[in-house]
Amino acid sequence: MSVFLLGGGRDLARCGDLLRPFVTEARQRAAHRAPVIALLLVLEADDDSSVARFTAMLEAAGAAAEEIRVESIVEGEVYEASALDADGLFVGGGLTPAYLNAFGRIGDAVIHRVLEGVPYAGFSAGAVIAAAPALVGGYRVGGVEVVSQDASEELDEVEVRPGLGLLDFAVDVHAAQWGTLSRLVAAVDAGLVAEGVAIDEDTALVVSAQAAPTVRGSGQVWRVESAASGVHVQVLRA
């Protein structure tokens, strides 16, 4: 199994290219039948575009329309375990705390499915909540601004909540584009998390049980960890 963490992006072709190995793994999981790829979305009440956008992204990755099963709910609702009955799980983007809340009843079931060999792909919010320590948002640490309020996810203080647990390090997204690297650095410096990665848009970090983590795409992944001298930042490239 692999976990694909996408940092976001609006270019469907680029994001679709990053998701091609995910679709391939879902087909391998399905073996001699057509795969079922669950597209899990948590929508705003008036959102009428995300389903089409993320469906098109999967189709750009090579998935056929009949292979995609949309599982969409509205912010405030929660998923049942039946939503995970698929050969691949693609969790899209939106308000990160709402996504985490939506999986509150079935977090253990997500881990179980991935351990069975079902690939997981998370885009933006879907990447953030995959971590055990989910850095769900906020723009201040101790009252001091560490990132633009525009990237706050409707939270004030930076918050780390129990995530799905597919990874033991925190994830932030839209790193270069939204400046969220500084939030992750501040979170590590404050001891909110021990380590994490901030992923640029149009970029993916692929974590697999069979190989070392790899970076794909046009941007970078910024690895942040605590160090004796404070905080250490390493740049990872494709």
Side-chain angles (χ1 to χ4, degrees), residues 61-125:
E66 59 270 19
E67 296 173 340
I68 303 168
R69 189 187 74 223
V70 178
E71 298 278 357
S72 62
I73 60 176
V74 176
E75 291 176 6
E77 297 179 343
V78 296
Y79 278 116
E80 301 295 337
S82 59
L84 307 178
D85 186 14
D87 303 297
L89 306 175
F90 180 36
V91 181
L95 186 65
T96 303
Y99 267 86
L100 185 56
N101 291 341
F103 284 86
R105 292 181 181 174
I106 61 170
D108 290 344
V110 174
I111 294 176
H112 182 69
R113 295 295 287 150
V114 172
L115 289 176
E116 287 181 331
V118 174
Y120 176 101
F123 180 98
S124 188

Side-chain angles (χ1 to χ4, degrees), residues 39-198:
L39 171 56
L40 297 114
L41 300 174
V42 180
L43 308 176
E44 297 179 15
D46 58 351
D47 184 359
D48 59 357
S49 62
S50 288
V51 172
R53 176 191 172 201
F54 285 105
T55 298
M57 194 178 295
L58 282 172
E59 291 176 344
E66 59 270 19
E67 296 173 340
I68 303 168
R69 189 187 74 223
V70 178
E71 298 278 357
S72 62
I73 60 176
V74 176
E75 291 176 6
E77 297 179 343
V78 296
Y79 278 116
E80 301 295 337
S82 59
L84 307 178
D85 186 14
D87 303 297
L89 306 175
F90 180 36
V91 181
L95 186 65
T96 303
Y99 267 86
L100 185 56
N101 291 341
F103 284 86
R105 292 181 181 174
I106 61 170
D108 290 344
V110 174
I111 294 176
H112 182 69
R113 295 295 287 150
V114 172
L115 289 176
E116 287 181 331
V118 174
Y120 176 101
F123 180 98
S124 188
V128 172
I129 69 169
L135 204 169
V136 293
Y139 72 105
R140 306 180 200 256
V141 173
V144 178
E145 292 189 17
V146 297
V147 72
S148 169
Q149 188 174 359
D150 292 339
S152 69
E153 302 287 340
E154 300 183 3
L155 298 174
D156 187 277
E157 284 283 314
V158 171
E159 291 191 26
V160 177
R161 302 176 185 174
L164 297 180
L166 300 179
L167 317 158
D168 58 6
F169 54 86
V171 178
D172 215 329
V173 289
H174 307 284
Q177 291 73 25
W178 293 9
T180 54
L181 173 60
S182 60
R183 175 167 59 197
L184 179 58
V185 169
V188 172
D189 182 63
L192 299 177
V193 295
E195 60 179 330
V197 294

Side-chain angles (χ1 to χ4, degrees), residues 186-206:
V188 172
D189 182 63
L192 299 177
V193 295
E195 60 179 330
V197 294
I199 307 172
D200 288 349
E201 293 183 359
D202 300 323
T203 307
L205 178 67
V206 184

Side-chain angles (χ1 to χ4, degrees), residues 21-41:
F22 163 74
V23 173
T24 297
E25 286 196 20
R27 289 198 171 119
Q28 291 171 344
R29 167 75 181 173
H32 301 297
R33 57 175 173 78
V36 175
I37 299 174
L39 171 56
L40 297 114
L41 300 174

